């Protein structure tokens, strides 16, 4: 991948850079970070493993309460508290005698929807504002970009900490505060997509044959901008799971007794000699985050219209799904 | 464009962002639940309308919002961030006393991650697609997804409980060791300066594990970045030129490969400072490290809004300033940036 600064490879830079139009060198280097991730792995293998893990967690999240051996919150066997993993409690029991396995499985039911909802809100709001910013330009653009700069100056967890502390700890406020912190990233990404795509010949052609601005946007710009947003959204799902777990860990996210991975690790903090209380919820977090990272990187490769050949059609929902699941990619490299 | 002009321009660019930070924290302060006056006055004073009016006038709360904002900024410029309700001290005073611990931890983490990450990344690039490469990539991969608070607890489990190599999560020093006199605020540095070997070894032993845990994410980042940019440099035409001129390997590595491969790596590390601060919040909680991250968490739990806003503002401020510094350093290292667009 193009890591050289002065001549970013036009083929790769489109999906790689978060904001190639930004004025600071540091923001340009953010794209390099992404490029480095991609080149660092063999994509396809990890992509399918990741997809498999995500599907597995999604199934667990939707069905866990139907088949877990013990009820995640109500079943408490105090006589059998802090028991090491055994045949009945394969992940052991916690300080109240609850079954850790059941709780870890049930935790998916909370973490995954929170992540999905957060990324959906941040992605849609950010993309819309970013598209406006890129299309309208001028003062509006300038103002939106400055607002983004400001919000991006806070590490997500710190601003979320302040907001959740103000609003009170529950899952809804976690979603609200993380999406509030996250939308500027989508805004910048969408804006840079719009700015670079709208100079393409096919857009000029569409405008010159008299397409309305809405049509130009929805038919000729958005389909090309969407893949980058989807790639970012996938990786961010893992990010949000990490942040949510972190907030719950420090006690301002989802609070006990709700089974949440971060909160479970937090409860185990004073009992590090009972290793199973720490290890299993953590592995759940780690596996989902890594899976989303894998899939995000794989998607970057599969969805990049620039890699798909000269007659790129943009991304219809169908073709996108095809590429996500069938992994058809790199049919022909576009000549630079 | 000269580097000085570039620096000046870059720092001017930071001013609107800093102003924005103030606006955000001011808005947050106004959205905080409960009337701050009711909290200040308690039940008795809060129920008396005359007292409330007097206080509103005294704190400027009867003025329009924009005027309140200027009062807020004015107080800030005088170093007044309000009172913390749970430490019962000024927030500014609190931040200044907790900041050195965080800075010490952060610098230690960056040093750890920087040195090992650069080595691992270079190794991976030199042994491209051989086993050291795969090993480094696996480490980098794990580091990108591991929750830092979980890693901390696992590290404690292994190195404190099982192996006994590390002290437990008891902060910066054992309780039996007296802290060195405050010079810089970093115990490891201060104990050297005051020639206190007991405090030095004890503080060093206490910082290794938290720094390694906090630095883990960076380690992955640095090694991944170093590997990618080094692979890129190794393919560059100027390297072929250097080789064909007959330069020896050492000269090539020292003057052609390293400087060019380091530029993007340094930039990325700088960019991740925000992530470091976020990680510090969690790491300090796990290791009972008395820094601003732990202060923020304690404040959030005690619903001490002035303190939370103080920390938020400080972290945002640090982030904006470091970003500006990194851009300048970057421009200084890479003439293409300051001469180009």
């Amino acid at each position: 991948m193009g890591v050289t600064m002065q001549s970013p490879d036009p083929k790769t830079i489109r999906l790689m850079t978060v904001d190639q139009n930004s004025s600071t060198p540091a923001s340009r280097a953010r794209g390099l970070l992404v490029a480095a991730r991609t080149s660092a792995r063999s994509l396809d293998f990890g992509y399918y493993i990741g997809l498999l893990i995500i599907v597995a967690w999604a199934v667990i999240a939707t069905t866990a309460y139907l088949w877990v051996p013990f009820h995640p919150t109500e079943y408490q066997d105090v006589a059998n508290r802090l028991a090491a993993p055994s045949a009945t409690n394969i992940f052991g029991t916690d300080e109240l005698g609850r079954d850790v396995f059941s709780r870890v499985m049930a935790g998916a039911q909370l973490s995954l929807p929170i992540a999905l909802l957060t990324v959906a809100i941040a992605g849609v709001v950010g993309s819309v504002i970013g598209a406006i910013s890129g299309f309208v330009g001028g003062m509006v653009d300038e103002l939106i970009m400055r607002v983004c700069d400001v919000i991006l100056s806070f590490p997500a967890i710190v601003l979320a900490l302040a907001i959740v502390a103000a609003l009170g700890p529950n899952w809804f406020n976690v979603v609200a505060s993380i999406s509030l912190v996250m939308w500027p990233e989508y805004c910048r990404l969408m804006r840079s997509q719009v700015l670079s795509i709208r100079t393409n010949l096919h857009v000029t052609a569409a405008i010159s044959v008299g397409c309305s601005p809405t049509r130009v946007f929805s038919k000729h710009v958005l389909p090309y901008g969407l893949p980058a947003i989807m790639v970012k959204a996938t990786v961010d799902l893992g990010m949000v799971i990490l942040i949510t777990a972190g907030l719950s860990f420090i006690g301002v996210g989802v609070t006990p007794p709700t089974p949440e991975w971060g909160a479970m690790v937090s409860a185990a903090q004073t009992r590090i000699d009972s290793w199973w209380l720490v290890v299993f919820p953590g592995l759940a977090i780690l596996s989902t985050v890594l899976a989303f990272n894998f899939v995000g990187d794989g998607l970057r490769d599969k969805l990049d219209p620039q890699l798909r050949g000269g007659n790129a059609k943009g991304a219809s929902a169908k073709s996108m799904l095809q590429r996500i699941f069938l992994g058809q990619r790199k049919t022909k490299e576009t000549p630079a | 464009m000269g580097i000085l002009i570039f620096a000046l321009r870059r720092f001017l660019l930071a001013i609107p962002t800093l102003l924005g930070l103030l606006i955000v924290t001011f808005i947050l302060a106004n959205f905080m639940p409960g009337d701050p006056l009711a909290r200040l006055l308690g039940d008795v004073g809060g129920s008396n309308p005359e007292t409330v009016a007097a206080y509103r006038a005294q704190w400027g709360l009867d003025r329009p919002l924009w005027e309140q904002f200027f009062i807020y900024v004015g107080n800030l410029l005088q170093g007044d961030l309000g009172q913390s309700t749970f430490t019962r001290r000024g927030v500014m005073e609190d931040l200044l006393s907790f900041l050195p611990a965080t800075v010490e931890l952060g610098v230690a983490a960056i040093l750890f991650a920087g040195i090992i990450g650069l080595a691992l990344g270079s190794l991976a690039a030199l042994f491209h697609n051989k086993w050291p490469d795969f090993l480094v990539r696996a480490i980098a991969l794990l580091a990108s997804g591991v929750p830092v608070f979980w890693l901390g607890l696992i590290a404690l489990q292994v190195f404190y409980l099982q192996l006994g190599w590390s002290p437990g999560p008891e902060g910066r020093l054992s309780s039996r060791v007296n802290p060195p006199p405050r010079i810089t605020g970093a115990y490891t540095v201060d104990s050297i300066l005051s020639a206190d070997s007991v405090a030095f070894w004890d503080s060093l032993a206490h910082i290794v594990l938290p720094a390694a845990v906090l630095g883990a994410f960076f380690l992955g980042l640095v090694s991944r970045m170093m590997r990618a940019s080094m692979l890129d440099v190794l393919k560059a035409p100027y390297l072929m030129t250097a080789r064909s001129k007959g330069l020896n390997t050492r000269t090539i590595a020292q003057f052609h490969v390293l400087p060019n491969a380091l530029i993007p790596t340094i930039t990325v590390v700088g960019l991740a400072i925000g992530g470091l601060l976020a990680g510090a919040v969690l790491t300090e909680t796990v290791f009972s490290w008395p820094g601003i991250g732990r202060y923020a968490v304690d404040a959030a739990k005690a619903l001490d809004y002035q303190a939370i806003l103080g920390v938020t503002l400080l972290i945002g401020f640090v982030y904006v300033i470091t970003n500006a510094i990194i851009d300048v350093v970057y421009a200084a290292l890479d003439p293409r940036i300051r001469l180009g667009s």
Side-chain angles (χ1 to χ4, degrees):
Chain A
M1 289 298 150
V3 175
T4 329
M5 288 306 285
Q6 86 281 30
S7 60
D9 179 357
K11 283 204 302 294
T12 53
I13 205 75
R14 171 103 5 116
L15 266 178
M16 298 304 161
T17 38
V18 173
D19 41 358
Q20 71 228 52
N21 301 296
S22 186
S23 50
T24 61
S27 48
R28 249 171 274 166
R30 271 188 202 109
L32 288 180
L33 187 61
V34 178
R37 295 169 55 100
T38 317
S39 59
R41 342 194 149 123
S42 50
L43 290 168
D44 249 18
F45 180 69
Y47 174 77
Y48 287 110
I49 295 283
L51 210 57
L52 201 71
I53 296 175
I54 290 172
V55 170
W57 274 120
V59 171
I60 292 171
T62 43
T63 62
Y65 276 85
L66 300 176
W67 52 261
V68 288
F70 302 96
H71 192 281
T73 49
E74 283 161 17
Y75 174 83
Q76 296 181 3
D77 181 4
V78 184
N80 190 30
R81 61 198 287 271
L82 295 175
S86 64
T88 25
N89 305 104
I90 53 173
F91 287 1
T93 62
D94 67 4
E95 68 281 0
L96 294 173
R98 292 173 298 197
D99 182 46
V100 175
F101 175 73
S102 306
R103 287 176 64 74
V104 169
M105 295 297 120
Q109 203 185 43
L110 203 66
S111 295
L112 293 187
I114 286 182
L116 272 177
L117 194 60
T118 307
V119 171
I121 295 174
V124 171
V125 172
S127 302
V128 169
I129 298 179
I132 293 172
S133 189
F135 260 107
V136 177
M139 283 301 286
V140 178
D141 181 35
E142 192 61 29
L143 186 71
I144 292 175
M145 282 302 109
R146 291 291 81 78
V147 172
C148 288
D149 279 350
V150 170
I151 298 179
L152 289 175
S153 319
F154 296 104
I157 202 167
V158 176
L159 196 52
L161 178 71
I163 297 172
V164 176
L167 301 177
N170 60 50
W171 71 266
F172 181 79
N173 290 342
V174 170
V175 170
S177 57
I178 303 179
S179 40
L180 191 69
V181 178
M182 222 170 214
W183 72 265
E185 298 179 19
Y186 288 89
C187 180
R188 278 192 175 180
L189 180 60
M190 191 47 138
R191 173 180 176 271
S192 74
Q193 294 284 315
V194 166
L195 287 183
S196 75
I197 294 164
R198 71 173 191 180
T199 57
N200 279 6
L201 270 180
H202 78 275
V203 177
T204 318
I207 296 171
S208 63
V209 298
C211 288
S212 69
T214 35
R215 187 179 166 82
V216 170
F217 178 70
S218 61
K219 293 283 176 191
H220 301 284
V221 175
L222 190 64
Y224 293 86
L226 217 49
I229 298 282
M230 285 201 37
V231 169
K232 177 166 172 51
T234 311
V235 176
D236 276 353
L237 285 171
M239 238 11 246
V240 174
I241 288 178
L242 266 185
I243 298 174
T244 311
L247 285 174
S248 299
F249 177 77
I250 53 183
V252 297
V254 182
T255 47
T258 317
E260 202 276 341
W261 296 331
M264 290 170 72
V265 177
S266 178
Q269 214 181 335
T270 47
R271 302 171 206 283
I272 45 175
D273 44 335
S274 308
W275 56 267
W276 56 92
L277 294 182
V278 178
V279 169
F280 295 116
L283 285 180
I285 304 172
L286 182 65
S287 65
T288 36
V289 176
L290 285 184
F292 280 120
N293 281 355
F294 274 142
V295 174
D297 283 356
L299 272 187
R300 191 187 330 273
D301 203 28
K302 292 176 203 304
L303 291 180
D304 190 341
Q306 301 293 311
L307 294 176
R308 266 191 298 126
N311 58 345
K313 290 194 297 283
S316 73
K318 192 182 156 205
S319 67
M320 219 187 260
L321 281 177
Q322 256 172 12
R323 281 192 303 275
I324 290 171
F325 289 106
L326 303 177
Q328 159 202 110
R329 63 192 181 96
K330 277 191 188 171
T331 44
K332 192 172 74 186
E333 294 258 331
T334 325
Chain B
M1 186 174 12
I3 186 69
L4 276 178
I5 298 171
F6 183 90
L8 192 69
R9 215 184 58 158
R10 185 60 190 80
F11 278 98
L12 284 178
L13 215 69
I15 290 176
T17 317
L18 289 176
L19 209 65
L21 285 185
L22 293 181
I23 296 174
V24 168
T25 44
F26 179 72
I27 292 173
L28 271 174
N30 275 285
F31 268 105
M32 290 293 178
D35 190 352
L37 280 182
R39 269 184 278 127
L40 265 173
L41 297 174
D43 283 344
V44 183
S47 59
N48 182 348
E50 274 176 36
T51 326
V52 172
Y55 265 90
R56 288 182 74 85
Q58 191 191 331
W59 294 99
L61 295 178
D62 51 348
R63 315 253 181 85
L65 214 55
W66 62 269
E67 223 171 290
Q68 287 186 38
F69 179 69
F70 281 110
I71 296 173
Y72 172 74
V73 175
N75 286 343
L76 208 67
L77 289 177
Q78 295 168 28
D80 182 5
L81 280 169
Q83 285 292 120
S84 157
T85 50
F86 90 109
T87 62
R88 302 190 175 281
R89 294 194 299 176
V91 171
M92 187 63 109
E93 197 186 330
D94 273 347
L95 290 180
L96 289 179
S97 73
F98 288 115
L99 189 61
T102 301
V103 172
E104 186 183 21
L105 181 63
V107 170
I110 291 180
L111 283 179
F112 165 84
I115 293 168
I116 299 186
L118 285 183
L120 286 182
S122 317
L123 209 68
L126 293 177
F127 292 92
H128 187 39
N129 281 337
K130 303 210 176 61
W131 71 264
D133 189 20
F134 293 122
L135 185 70
V136 171
R137 278 155 69 180
I139 294 174
L141 186 68
L142 280 177
S144 72
V146 69
V148 60
F149 57 90
W150 183 70
L151 188 66
L153 289 176
I154 297 287
L156 279 174
Q157 170 76 30
V158 174
F159 294 104
Y160 166 57
L161 280 181
Q162 303 294 330
L163 299 172
W165 292 356
S166 165
E170 53 186 14
R172 309 171 72 184
L173 282 177
S174 309
S175 49
R176 59 187 162 73
V177 177
N178 290 322
R182 179 168 173 152
I183 303 164
T184 60
Y187 283 1
T188 42
V189 178
D190 286 355
S191 54
I192 293 178
L193 292 178
S194 57
D196 182 347
S197 68
V198 178
F200 174 72
W201 290 113
D202 197 58
S203 56
L204 193 66
H206 278 79
I207 205 172
V208 171
L209 209 55
V213 166
L214 178 57
F217 177 75
F218 272 79
L219 181 74
L221 202 65
V222 172
S223 55
R224 200 158 54 202
M225 203 59 217
M226 190 62 191
R227 175 182 176 276
S229 62
M230 201 147 153
L231 283 177
D232 215 54
V233 170
L234 289 175
K235 281 188 301 210
Y238 57 77
L239 211 69
M240 195 188 282
T241 313
R243 281 206 195 96
S244 55
K245 277 197 298 189
L247 296 179
N248 65 29
T249 316
R250 214 193 124 147
T251 316
I252 293 177
Q254 194 178 345
F255 294 103
H256 296 262
V257 179
L258 270 185
N260 286 301
L262 271 177
I263 292 173
T265 312
I266 289 175
T267 315
V268 163
V269 170
L271 281 174
I273 295 286
L276 186 84
L277 290 166
V281 173
L282 296 166
T283 314
E284 288 177 4
T285 308
V286 172
F287 290 93
S288 311
W289 193 264
I292 52 164
R294 197 175 148 73
Y295 177 69
V297 172
D298 288 343
K301 282 184 178 161
L303 300 181
D304 185 346
Y305 300 115
Q306 295 291 342
I308 303 171
L309 290 178
V311 177
T312 314
L313 194 62
L314 176 73
I315 288 181
F317 192 83
V318 168
Y319 185 74
V320 172
I321 298 297
T322 37
N323 247 343
I325 293 174
I326 285 152
D327 278 351
V328 173
V329 170
Y330 194 21
L333 287 174
D334 190 343
R336 285 173 308 207
I337 296 296
R338 58 174 191 270
L339 297 175
S341 56

